[in-house]
Amino acid sequence: MTVTTDRDGAIATVTLRRPEALNALNGNQLNALLAVATTLSADVSVRAVILTGEGQRAFAAGADIKEMAEMDPVQALAFTRLGHAVASAISGAPQPWIAAVNGVALGGGCELALACDIRVASQNAAFGQPEVMLGVIPGWGGTQRLPRLIGAGVASELILTGRRIGADEALRIGLVSAVYPSEELLGQATAIARTIASNAPGAVQAAKRAMAVVHDTDMAAGLAFEAQAFALSFATADQKEGMAAFIAKRAPNFTGS
Ligand code: HXC
């Protein structure tokens, strides 16, 4: 199995497992990841997902260069579209996805992390979009998601030079939100996932959806979307429970209804 899923209550951990190739993703593995993401999206008992790579060296060293080397343009189009489908399955999932970047996240590996809602990294993590050094460009969403996340100037410098950066620089430019020692990474990612899972599920999902429209709309339409989603949260039992619990000075018991 090149992609595995482990469940711990409401939290699913998805692990890319091809350590002999530093978890570089070929077509088979992408299809497996797409199937996993689709299954998890349909499972209402999953409230947060962690994406990581097997071993200490790599989250994912990119798309499989050996597989890409033989592609013609038609095959390359299918490959980029498959990567887009995987990234969209993650970014469009109802639950938040957290990338726990445990080593190199290069090319398509960085792009998978970009598709997640939150990125945390180990101290030995490294990020980069080295595609131009291979005669191609980022093809799993990097040209679109990296500028949106960290701004056009820094994204341009990274994509046009192919320069690799370490975890501290990734933290400074806002590519990741925290850096931990390797041995703490999964525990810290799980703690974030648990905190998310303890919140009202419908509210978490609505907040993720509302933030997603930032990139597709102007401010007025975005605020209109937010207002609708905010109002709709008052149709849930969890809104009544969350506010009643605050007023009664007790912990809320969210049911997802
Ligand atoms: C295929 C890969 C690979 C990749 C590593 N390997 N990255 N195989 N595709 N992307 C394989 C190596 O060939 C080698 O296998 C094994 O993993 C270990 O890698 P080494 O290079 O020996 O390790 P090291 O010297 O430590 O260097 C690590 C590394 C380097 C710096 C991460 O492997 C590297 O630069 N990899 C390529 C990174 C990259 O350019 N990624 C972007 C790809 S383009 P063997 O069997 O030879 O020992 C992309 C486009 C996405 O992602 C969009 C597509 C549409």
Side-chain angles (χ1 to χ4, degrees), residues 65-116:
I65 298 168
K66 293 168 189 167
E67 193 172 86
M68 280 190 297
E70 304 302 324
M71 288 179 184
D72 62 28
V74 173
Q75 292 166 322
L77 181 61
F79 196 54
T80 182
R81 284 183 171 158
L82 179 57
H84 285 171
V86 172
S88 295
I90 292 171
S91 66
Q95 314 90 344
W97 279 60
I98 302 163
V101 180
N102 54 304
V104 291
L106 297 173
C110 189
E111 291 171 295
L112 282 186
L114 289 171
C116 294

mmCIF file of all heavy atoms in Angstrom, residues 65-116:
data_model
loop_
_atom_site.group_PDB
_atom_site.id
_atom_site.type_symbol
_atom_site.label_atom_id
_atom_site.label_comp_id
_atom_site.label_asym_id
_atom_site.label_seq_id
_atom_site.Cartn_x
_atom_site.Cartn_y
_atom_site.Cartn_z
ATOM 1 N N ILE A 65 9.736 11.697 -11.139
ATOM 2 C CA ILE A 65 10.429 12.216 -12.325
ATOM 3 C C ILE A 65 10.679 11.095 -13.332
ATOM 4 O O ILE A 65 10.611 11.305 -14.553
ATOM 5 C CB ILE A 65 11.758 12.888 -11.913
ATOM 6 C CG1 ILE A 65 11.474 14.093 -10.992
ATOM 7 C CG2 ILE A 65 12.540 13.355 -13.141
ATOM 8 C CD1 ILE A 65 12.707 14.667 -10.299
ATOM 9 N N LYS A 66 10.918 9.889 -12.820
ATOM 10 C CA LYS A 66 11.198 8.773 -13.741
ATOM 11 C C LYS A 66 9.954 8.448 -14.569
ATOM 12 O O LYS A 66 10.054 8.085 -15.745
ATOM 13 C CB LYS A 66 11.681 7.554 -12.953
ATOM 14 C CG LYS A 66 13.054 7.802 -12.315
ATOM 15 C CD LYS A 66 13.439 6.749 -11.288
ATOM 16 C CE LYS A 66 14.693 7.173 -10.532
ATOM 17 N NZ LYS A 66 14.962 6.374 -9.338
ATOM 18 N N GLU A 67 8.778 8.568 -13.962
ATOM 19 C CA GLU A 67 7.537 8.333 -14.707
ATOM 20 C C GLU A 67 7.266 9.488 -15.680
ATOM 21 O O GLU A 67 6.885 9.273 -16.834
ATOM 22 C CB GLU A 67 6.363 8.170 -13.726
ATOM 23 C CG GLU A 67 5.114 7.612 -14.362
ATOM 24 C CD GLU A 67 4.039 7.276 -13.332
ATOM 25 O OE1 GLU A 67 3.270 8.188 -12.968
ATOM 26 O OE2 GLU A 67 3.963 6.121 -12.891
ATOM 27 N N MET A 68 7.489 10.730 -15.206
ATOM 28 C CA MET A 68 7.210 11.897 -16.060
ATOM 29 C C MET A 68 8.141 11.961 -17.262
ATOM 30 O O MET A 68 7.757 12.465 -18.319
ATOM 31 C CB MET A 68 7.367 13.197 -15.260
ATOM 32 C CG MET A 68 6.181 13.525 -14.392
ATOM 33 S SD MET A 68 6.325 15.194 -13.712
ATOM 34 C CE MET A 68 7.798 15.068 -12.714
ATOM 35 N N ALA A 69 9.366 11.468 -17.095
ATOM 36 C CA ALA A 69 10.381 11.598 -18.147
ATOM 37 C C ALA A 69 9.913 11.013 -19.469
ATOM 38 O O ALA A 69 10.305 11.476 -20.542
ATOM 39 C CB ALA A 69 11.678 10.928 -17.706
ATOM 40 N N GLU A 70 9.046 10.011 -19.408
ATOM 41 C CA GLU A 70 8.599 9.310 -20.621
ATOM 42 C C GLU A 70 7.298 9.854 -21.178
ATOM 43 O O GLU A 70 6.777 9.333 -22.163
ATOM 44 C CB GLU A 70 8.407 7.812 -20.301
ATOM 45 C CG GLU A 70 9.634 7.115 -19.713
ATOM 46 C CD GLU A 70 10.843 7.213 -20.638
ATOM 47 O OE1 GLU A 70 10.651 7.159 -21.871
ATOM 48 O OE2 GLU A 70 11.966 7.379 -20.117
ATOM 49 N N MET A 71 6.725 10.881 -20.557
ATOM 50 C CA MET A 71 5.381 11.309 -20.963
ATOM 51 C C MET A 71 5.397 12.160 -22.227
ATOM 52 O O MET A 71 6.296 12.969 -22.427
ATOM 53 C CB MET A 71 4.724 12.127 -19.834
ATOM 54 C CG MET A 71 4.313 11.293 -18.637
ATOM 55 S SD MET A 71 3.563 12.340 -17.350
ATOM 56 C CE MET A 71 3.338 11.084 -16.075
ATOM 57 N N ASP A 72 4.322 12.017 -23.024
ATOM 58 C CA ASP A 72 4.079 12.960 -24.106
ATOM 59 C C ASP A 72 3.087 14.005 -23.576
ATOM 60 O O ASP A 72 2.589 13.883 -22.458
ATOM 61 C CB ASP A 72 3.578 12.228 -25.360
ATOM 62 C CG ASP A 72 2.254 11.515 -25.139
ATOM 63 O OD1 ASP A 72 1.462 11.967 -24.275
ATOM 64 O OD2 ASP A 72 1.997 10.507 -25.818
ATOM 65 N N PRO A 73 2.799 15.057 -24.350
ATOM 66 C CA PRO A 73 1.932 16.118 -23.824
ATOM 67 C C PRO A 73 0.547 15.629 -23.398
ATOM 68 O O PRO A 73 -0.024 16.149 -22.433
ATOM 69 C CB PRO A 73 1.839 17.109 -24.999
ATOM 70 C CG PRO A 73 3.114 16.916 -25.751
ATOM 71 C CD PRO A 73 3.403 15.442 -25.648
ATOM 72 N N VAL A 74 -0.003 14.661 -24.109
ATOM 73 C CA VAL A 74 -1.335 14.170 -23.747
ATOM 74 C C VAL A 74 -1.284 13.481 -22.379
ATOM 75 O O VAL A 74 -2.151 13.689 -21.512
ATOM 76 C CB VAL A 74 -1.865 13.206 -24.837
ATOM 77 C CG1 VAL A 74 -3.167 12.549 -24.393
ATOM 78 C CG2 VAL A 74 -2.063 13.964 -26.145
ATOM 79 N N GLN A 75 -0.236 12.672 -22.166
ATOM 80 C CA GLN A 75 -0.085 12.009 -20.867
ATOM 81 C C GLN A 75 0.208 13.037 -19.767
ATOM 82 O O GLN A 75 -0.270 12.909 -18.642
ATOM 83 C CB GLN A 75 1.039 10.969 -20.943
ATOM 84 C CG GLN A 75 0.691 9.789 -21.842
ATOM 85 C CD GLN A 75 1.908 8.943 -22.179
ATOM 86 O OE1 GLN A 75 3.016 9.460 -22.388
ATOM 87 N NE2 GLN A 75 1.704 7.640 -22.235
ATOM 88 N N ALA A 76 0.990 14.066 -20.122
ATOM 89 C CA ALA A 76 1.293 15.103 -19.137
ATOM 90 C C ALA A 76 0.031 15.847 -18.719
ATOM 91 O O ALA A 76 -0.133 16.208 -17.546
ATOM 92 C CB ALA A 76 2.329 16.082 -19.707
ATOM 93 N N LEU A 77 -0.882 16.059 -19.678
ATOM 94 C CA LEU A 77 -2.142 16.741 -19.352
ATOM 95 C C LEU A 77 -2.956 15.892 -18.375
ATOM 96 O O LEU A 77 -3.499 16.398 -17.389
ATOM 97 C CB LEU A 77 -2.941 17.010 -20.638
ATOM 98 C CG LEU A 77 -4.264 17.749 -20.438
ATOM 99 C CD1 LEU A 77 -4.038 19.134 -19.833
ATOM 100 C CD2 LEU A 77 -5.017 17.886 -21.763
ATOM 101 N N ALA A 78 -3.011 14.579 -18.635
ATOM 102 C CA ALA A 78 -3.744 13.701 -17.725
ATOM 103 C C ALA A 78 -3.103 13.712 -16.334
ATOM 104 O O ALA A 78 -3.797 13.705 -15.309
ATOM 105 C CB ALA A 78 -3.771 12.277 -18.289
ATOM 106 N N PHE A 79 -1.766 13.774 -16.304
ATOM 107 C CA PHE A 79 -1.046 13.726 -15.021
ATOM 108 C C PHE A 79 -1.282 15.012 -14.218
ATOM 109 O O PHE A 79 -1.498 14.968 -13.012
ATOM 110 C CB PHE A 79 0.444 13.531 -15.300
ATOM 111 C CG PHE A 79 1.254 13.085 -14.119
ATOM 112 C CD1 PHE A 79 0.910 11.953 -13.392
ATOM 113 C CD2 PHE A 79 2.391 13.792 -13.750
ATOM 114 C CE1 PHE A 79 1.681 11.535 -12.311
ATOM 115 C CE2 PHE A 79 3.169 13.375 -12.673
ATOM 116 C CZ PHE A 79 2.808 12.250 -11.953
ATOM 117 N N THR A 80 -1.227 16.157 -14.901
ATOM 118 C CA THR A 80 -1.470 17.411 -14.184
ATOM 119 C C THR A 80 -2.922 17.464 -13.709
ATOM 120 O O THR A 80 -3.212 17.885 -12.587
ATOM 121 C CB THR A 80 -1.094 18.645 -15.051
ATOM 122 O OG1 THR A 80 -1.310 19.834 -14.292
ATOM 123 C CG2 THR A 80 -1.852 18.770 -16.333
ATOM 124 N N ARG A 81 -3.843 16.969 -14.550
ATOM 125 C CA ARG A 81 -5.256 16.990 -14.136
ATOM 126 C C ARG A 81 -5.515 16.053 -12.960
ATOM 127 O O ARG A 81 -6.315 16.365 -12.074
ATOM 128 C CB ARG A 81 -6.146 16.608 -15.325
ATOM 129 C CG ARG A 81 -6.284 17.759 -16.307
ATOM 130 C CD ARG A 81 -7.211 17.395 -17.440
ATOM 131 N NE ARG A 81 -7.527 18.553 -18.264
ATOM 132 C CZ ARG A 81 -7.953 18.487 -19.512
ATOM 133 N NH1 ARG A 81 -8.105 17.301 -20.096
ATOM 134 N NH2 ARG A 81 -8.220 19.581 -20.190
ATOM 135 N N LEU A 82 -4.823 14.922 -12.946
ATOM 136 C CA LEU A 82 -4.980 14.001 -11.809
ATOM 137 C C LEU A 82 -4.461 14.662 -10.523
ATOM 138 O O LEU A 82 -5.097 14.581 -9.466
ATOM 139 C CB LEU A 82 -4.228 12.687 -12.094
ATOM 140 C CG LEU A 82 -4.263 11.629 -11.006
ATOM 141 C CD1 LEU A 82 -5.699 11.235 -10.635
ATOM 142 C CD2 LEU A 82 -3.471 10.384 -11.446
ATOM 143 N N GLY A 83 -3.312 15.341 -10.635
ATOM 144 C CA GLY A 83 -2.792 16.052 -9.465
ATOM 145 C C GLY A 83 -3.741 17.153 -9.017
ATOM 146 O O GLY A 83 -3.951 17.360 -7.812
ATOM 147 N N HIS A 84 -4.331 17.859 -9.980
ATOM 148 C CA HIS A 84 -5.311 18.889 -9.626
ATOM 149 C C HIS A 84 -6.508 18.265 -8.908
ATOM 150 O O HIS A 84 -7.034 18.850 -7.956
ATOM 151 C CB HIS A 84 -5.800 19.609 -10.883
ATOM 152 C CG HIS A 84 -4.805 20.579 -11.445
ATOM 153 N ND1 HIS A 84 -4.965 21.184 -12.664
ATOM 154 C CD2 HIS A 84 -3.632 21.050 -10.951
ATOM 155 C CE1 HIS A 84 -3.936 21.997 -12.889
ATOM 156 N NE2 HIS A 84 -3.110 21.916 -11.876
ATOM 157 N N ALA A 85 -6.939 17.100 -9.393
ATOM 158 C CA ALA A 85 -8.097 16.442 -8.772
ATOM 159 C C ALA A 85 -7.783 16.066 -7.322
ATOM 160 O O ALA A 85 -8.622 16.227 -6.423
ATOM 161 C CB ALA A 85 -8.489 15.199 -9.576
ATOM 162 N N VAL A 86 -6.559 15.577 -7.083
ATOM 163 C CA VAL A 86 -6.169 15.215 -5.713
ATOM 164 C C VAL A 86 -6.137 16.472 -4.836
ATOM 165 O O VAL A 86 -6.693 16.487 -3.722
ATOM 166 C CB VAL A 86 -4.798 14.513 -5.693
ATOM 167 C CG1 VAL A 86 -4.306 14.322 -4.273
ATOM 168 C CG2 VAL A 86 -4.881 13.171 -6.416
ATOM 169 N N ALA A 87 -5.484 17.524 -5.336
ATOM 170 C CA ALA A 87 -5.385 18.750 -4.540
ATOM 171 C C ALA A 87 -6.770 19.337 -4.277
ATOM 172 O O ALA A 87 -7.048 19.818 -3.170
ATOM 173 C CB ALA A 87 -4.490 19.769 -5.255
ATOM 174 N N SER A 88 -7.653 19.282 -5.279
ATOM 175 C CA SER A 88 -9.010 19.815 -5.086
ATOM 176 C C SER A 88 -9.808 18.943 -4.115
ATOM 177 O O SER A 88 -10.654 19.463 -3.373
ATOM 178 C CB SER A 88 -9.749 19.897 -6.425
ATOM 179 O OG SER A 88 -9.114 20.824 -7.267
ATOM 180 N N ALA A 89 -9.561 17.632 -4.139
ATOM 181 C CA ALA A 89 -10.254 16.747 -3.188
ATOM 182 C C ALA A 89 -9.852 17.106 -1.759
ATOM 183 O O ALA A 89 -10.658 17.016 -0.828
ATOM 184 C CB ALA A 89 -9.934 15.284 -3.496
ATOM 185 N N ILE A 90 -8.592 17.526 -1.575
ATOM 186 C CA ILE A 90 -8.121 17.920 -0.246
ATOM 187 C C ILE A 90 -8.648 19.303 0.120
ATOM 188 O O ILE A 90 -9.253 19.502 1.176
ATOM 189 C CB ILE A 90 -6.572 17.893 -0.206
ATOM 190 C CG1 ILE A 90 -6.076 16.450 -0.328
ATOM 191 C CG2 ILE A 90 -6.038 18.565 1.066
ATOM 192 C CD1 ILE A 90 -4.559 16.318 -0.517
ATOM 193 N N SER A 91 -8.444 20.268 -0.783
ATOM 194 C CA SER A 91 -8.855 21.639 -0.441
ATOM 195 C C SER A 91 -10.376 21.749 -0.372
ATOM 196 O O SER A 91 -10.905 22.567 0.382
ATOM 197 C CB SER A 91 -8.293 22.644 -1.449
ATOM 198 O OG SER A 91 -8.862 22.448 -2.720
ATOM 199 N N GLY A 92 -11.085 20.909 -1.135
ATOM 200 C CA GLY A 92 -12.541 20.955 -1.127
ATOM 201 C C GLY A 92 -13.179 19.986 -0.150
ATOM 202 O O GLY A 92 -14.406 19.901 -0.067
ATOM 203 N N ALA A 93 -12.366 19.244 0.595
ATOM 204 C CA ALA A 93 -12.919 18.302 1.579
ATOM 205 C C ALA A 93 -13.686 19.067 2.645
ATOM 206 O O ALA A 93 -13.311 20.191 2.988
ATOM 207 C CB ALA A 93 -11.790 17.500 2.230
ATOM 208 N N PRO A 94 -14.744 18.470 3.178
ATOM 209 C CA PRO A 94 -15.464 19.184 4.239
ATOM 210 C C PRO A 94 -14.602 19.374 5.489
ATOM 211 O O PRO A 94 -14.683 20.419 6.134
ATOM 212 C CB PRO A 94 -16.682 18.294 4.509
ATOM 213 C CG PRO A 94 -16.372 16.975 3.892
ATOM 214 C CD PRO A 94 -15.398 17.218 2.789
ATOM 215 N N GLN A 95 -13.771 18.382 5.796
ATOM 216 C CA GLN A 95 -12.944 18.489 6.995
ATOM 217 C C GLN A 95 -11.622 19.205 6.691
ATOM 218 O O GLN A 95 -11.108 19.106 5.585
ATOM 219 C CB GLN A 95 -12.561 17.098 7.540
ATOM 220 C CG GLN A 95 -13.666 16.090 7.619
ATOM 221 C CD GLN A 95 -13.788 15.262 6.342
ATOM 222 O OE1 GLN A 95 -13.257 15.599 5.291
ATOM 223 N NE2 GLN A 95 -14.515 14.154 6.463
ATOM 224 N N PRO A 96 -11.044 19.886 7.691
ATOM 225 C CA PRO A 96 -9.703 20.443 7.507
ATOM 226 C C PRO A 96 -8.656 19.337 7.351
ATOM 227 O O PRO A 96 -8.735 18.293 8.002
ATOM 228 C CB PRO A 96 -9.451 21.221 8.806
ATOM 229 C CG PRO A 96 -10.807 21.466 9.374
ATOM 230 C CD PRO A 96 -11.643 20.282 8.974
ATOM 231 N N TRP A 97 -7.694 19.593 6.454
ATOM 232 C CA TRP A 97 -6.526 18.735 6.302
ATOM 233 C C TRP A 97 -5.309 19.491 6.830
ATOM 234 O O TRP A 97 -5.129 20.679 6.522
ATOM 235 C CB TRP A 97 -6.297 18.385 4.831
ATOM 236 C CG TRP A 97 -7.156 17.260 4.315
ATOM 237 C CD1 TRP A 97 -8.522 17.220 4.281
ATOM 238 C CD2 TRP A 97 -6.694 16.020 3.721
ATOM 239 N NE1 TRP A 97 -8.947 16.035 3.710
ATOM 240 C CE2 TRP A 97 -7.845 15.285 3.358
ATOM 241 C CE3 TRP A 97 -5.437 15.480 3.459
ATOM 242 C CZ2 TRP A 97 -7.766 14.028 2.753
ATOM 243 C CZ3 TRP A 97 -5.364 14.232 2.847
ATOM 244 C CH2 TRP A 97 -6.515 13.511 2.518
ATOM 245 N N ILE A 98 -4.464 18.789 7.577
ATOM 246 C CA ILE A 98 -3.244 19.369 8.137
ATOM 247 C C ILE A 98 -2.058 18.635 7.522
ATOM 248 O O ILE A 98 -1.948 17.411 7.664
ATOM 249 C CB ILE A 98 -3.210 19.182 9.670
ATOM 250 C CG1 ILE A 98 -4.438 19.839 10.311
ATOM 251 C CG2 ILE A 98 -1.904 19.735 10.257
ATOM 252 C CD1 ILE A 98 -4.697 19.367 11.731
ATOM 253 N N ALA A 99 -1.175 19.360 6.847
ATOM 254 C CA ALA A 99 0.045 18.739 6.329
ATOM 255 C C ALA A 99 1.079 18.737 7.444
ATOM 256 O O ALA A 99 1.449 19.801 7.951
ATOM 257 C CB ALA A 99 0.564 19.506 5.119
ATOM 258 N N ALA A 100 1.528 17.551 7.838
ATOM 259 C CA ALA A 100 2.627 17.420 8.800
ATOM 260 C C ALA A 100 3.862 17.094 7.974
ATOM 261 O O ALA A 100 4.115 15.941 7.610
ATOM 262 C CB ALA A 100 2.321 16.323 9.814
ATOM 263 N N VAL A 101 4.626 18.139 7.646
ATOM 264 C CA VAL A 101 5.719 18.020 6.670
ATOM 265 C C VAL A 101 6.985 17.563 7.398
ATOM 266 O O VAL A 101 7.635 18.339 8.096
ATOM 267 C CB VAL A 101 5.927 19.350 5.919
ATOM 268 C CG1 VAL A 101 7.060 19.215 4.910
ATOM 269 C CG2 VAL A 101 4.635 19.775 5.223
ATOM 270 N N ASN A 102 7.310 16.293 7.203
ATOM 271 C CA ASN A 102 8.324 15.621 8.020
ATOM 272 C C ASN A 102 9.679 15.524 7.337
ATOM 273 O O ASN A 102 10.545 14.782 7.807
ATOM 274 C CB ASN A 102 7.832 14.207 8.347
ATOM 275 C CG ASN A 102 7.457 13.446 7.085
ATOM 276 O OD1 ASN A 102 6.627 13.912 6.315
ATOM 277 N ND2 ASN A 102 8.071 12.306 6.860
ATOM 278 N N GLY A 103 9.871 16.251 6.242
ATOM 279 C CA GLY A 103 11.137 16.177 5.498
ATOM 280 C C GLY A 103 10.968 17.019 4.251
ATOM 281 O O GLY A 103 10.277 18.036 4.291
ATOM 282 N N VAL A 104 11.557 16.594 3.132
ATOM 283 C CA VAL A 104 11.432 17.426 1.932
ATOM 284 C C VAL A 104 9.993 17.421 1.400
ATOM 285 O O VAL A 104 9.328 16.390 1.373
ATOM 286 C CB VAL A 104 12.405 16.988 0.809
ATOM 287 C CG1 VAL A 104 13.847 17.292 1.185
ATOM 288 C CG2 VAL A 104 12.215 15.537 0.425
ATOM 289 N N ALA A 105 9.554 18.598 1.008
ATOM 290 C CA ALA A 105 8.275 18.761 0.303
ATOM 291 C C ALA A 105 8.621 19.575 -0.937
ATOM 292 O O ALA A 105 8.627 20.800 -0.915
ATOM 293 C CB ALA A 105 7.252 19.481 1.166
ATOM 294 N N LEU A 106 8.949 18.872 -2.003
ATOM 295 C CA LEU A 106 9.458 19.529 -3.212
ATOM 296 C C LEU A 106 8.480 19.321 -4.362
ATOM 297 O O LEU A 106 7.841 18.261 -4.456
ATOM 298 C CB LEU A 106 10.823 18.958 -3.587
ATOM 299 C CG LEU A 106 11.932 19.178 -2.544
ATOM 300 C CD1 LEU A 106 13.202 18.438 -2.933
ATOM 301 C CD2 LEU A 106 12.215 20.663 -2.345
ATOM 302 N N GLY A 107 8.380 20.317 -5.241
ATOM 303 C CA GLY A 107 7.529 20.171 -6.413
ATOM 304 C C GLY A 107 6.117 19.783 -6.018
ATOM 305 O O GLY A 107 5.461 20.456 -5.221
ATOM 306 N N GLY A 108 5.654 18.667 -6.569
ATOM 307 C CA GLY A 108 4.309 18.193 -6.266
ATOM 308 C C GLY A 108 4.095 17.916 -4.788
ATOM 309 O O GLY A 108 2.962 17.988 -4.293
ATOM 310 N N GLY A 109 5.163 17.614 -4.054
ATOM 311 C CA GLY A 109 5.036 17.415 -2.600
ATOM 312 C C GLY A 109 4.672 18.714 -1.911
ATOM 313 O O GLY A 109 3.799 18.754 -1.035
ATOM 314 N N CYS A 110 5.324 19.790 -2.326
ATOM 315 C CA CYS A 110 4.992 21.114 -1.783
ATOM 316 C C CYS A 110 3.561 21.486 -2.177
ATOM 317 O O CYS A 110 2.803 22.030 -1.378
ATOM 318 C CB CYS A 110 5.997 22.142 -2.301
ATOM 319 S SG CYS A 110 5.861 23.750 -1.531
ATOM 320 N N GLU A 111 3.183 21.130 -3.398
ATOM 321 C CA GLU A 111 1.837 21.473 -3.879
ATOM 322 C C GLU A 111 0.749 20.724 -3.107
ATOM 323 O O GLU A 111 -0.330 21.269 -2.862
ATOM 324 C CB GLU A 111 1.748 21.201 -5.382
ATOM 325 C CG GLU A 111 2.607 22.186 -6.177
ATOM 326 C CD GLU A 111 2.735 21.823 -7.647
ATOM 327 O OE1 GLU A 111 3.334 20.765 -7.937
ATOM 328 O OE2 GLU A 111 2.250 22.588 -8.496
ATOM 329 N N LEU A 112 1.033 19.479 -2.717
ATOM 330 C CA LEU A 112 0.062 18.762 -1.884
ATOM 331 C C LEU A 112 -0.092 19.449 -0.537
ATOM 332 O O LEU A 112 -1.193 19.590 -0.005
ATOM 333 C CB LEU A 112 0.513 17.313 -1.647
ATOM 334 C CG LEU A 112 0.315 16.308 -2.765
ATOM 335 C CD1 LEU A 112 0.701 14.916 -2.265
ATOM 336 C CD2 LEU A 112 -1.128 16.316 -3.266
ATOM 337 N N ALA A 113 1.050 19.884 0.032
ATOM 338 C CA ALA A 113 0.987 20.610 1.311
ATOM 339 C C ALA A 113 0.202 21.907 1.158
ATOM 340 O O ALA A 113 -0.566 22.290 2.044
ATOM 341 C CB ALA A 113 2.394 20.888 1.827
ATOM 342 N N LEU A 114 0.373 22.567 0.003
ATOM 343 C CA LEU A 114 -0.353 23.825 -0.243
ATOM 344 C C LEU A 114 -1.859 23.607 -0.314
ATOM 345 O O LEU A 114 -2.636 24.515 -0.003
ATOM 346 C CB LEU A 114 0.119 24.460 -1.558
ATOM 347 C CG LEU A 114 1.521 25.052 -1.581
ATOM 348 C CD1 LEU A 114 1.907 25.446 -3.006
ATOM 349 C CD2 LEU A 114 1.621 26.250 -0.652
ATOM 350 N N ALA A 115 -2.269 22.426 -0.753
ATOM 351 C CA ALA A 115 -3.704 22.144 -0.861
ATOM 352 C C ALA A 115 -4.343 21.942 0.509
ATOM 353 O O ALA A 115 -5.566 22.036 0.641
ATOM 354 C CB ALA A 115 -3.933 20.907 -1.731
ATOM 355 N N CYS A 116 -3.510 21.667 1.516
ATOM 356 C CA CYS A 116 -4.039 21.470 2.867
ATOM 357 C C CYS A 116 -4.410 22.812 3.492
ATOM 358 O O CYS A 116 -3.986 23.874 3.040
ATOM 359 C CB CYS A 116 -3.003 20.749 3.727
ATOM 360 S SG CYS A 116 -2.673 19.051 3.187
#
